[in-house]
Amino acid sequence: MSGPRSGPRLSTGALFIIVVLVALLGVSIWMAVDVWTSTDRAAAQADGQGEVSGHGIIALILGGIGSVIVGGGLMALVFFSNRSGHDQTVHDEYKSRVHPDDDPLR
C-alpha cells in the first residue's frame, strides 16, 4: 500500500471561492424553485389553472438549451479569435494610430 498522496492542494483563497460559488448556486436553485412554485399558486388563485402546459415546459427547455448553445458558440468564437491572432492585429493597429497620452484604454 502506498502512503498518503501528496498532490497539489487548494489554497485557502481558492477554497473560499469554491464555497462561495457553491453557496450562490444553492441560493439560485432555491430561488428558482420558489419562484416556479409561487407562480403556480398565483395562477391557480387567479383563474383556477395553476399548471404550466406541456408546450410551455417544452418552450422553457428549448429556450434554455438554445441559450447555452448560443453562449457556448460565442465563447468559442472569442477563444478561436484570440488564438488565431486576429485580436492582436487589431490591438497593434489601434496602438499605432492612437497617441499614448490620448489612449482611453490605458
Side-chain angles (χ1 to χ4, degrees):
M1 264 183 122
S2 63
R5 199 174 119 185
S6 62
R9 297 192 183 264
L10 290 176
S11 68
T12 306
L15 189 60
F16 176 75
I17 289 173
I18 290 171
V19 168
V20 168
L21 290 175
V22 168
L24 286 172
L25 177 65
V27 168
S28 65
I29 290 172
W30 176 76
M31 289 182 70
V33 169
D34 185 52
V35 168
W36 184 274
T37 57
S38 69
T39 54
D40 275 350
R41 280 178 279 165
Q45 291 173 356
D47 63 357
Q49 297 177 350
E51 296 293 321
V52 176
S53 69
H55 291 98
I57 292 173
I58 291 171
L60 284 169
I61 291 170
L62 291 177
I65 291 170
S67 296
V68 169
I69 289 171
V70 168
L74 289 172
M75 285 189 285
L77 286 173
V78 168
F79 175 77
F80 288 122
S81 174
N82 186 30
R83 295 281 295 220
S84 67
H86 293 306
D87 295 340
Q88 189 62 41
T89 305
V90 172
H91 180 73
D92 293 343
E93 180 69 25
Y94 174 80
K95 286 295 185 182
S96 70
R97 291 183 180 192
V98 176
H99 190 273
D101 294 334
D102 297 331
D103 187 3
L105 301 177
R106 198 167 37 104

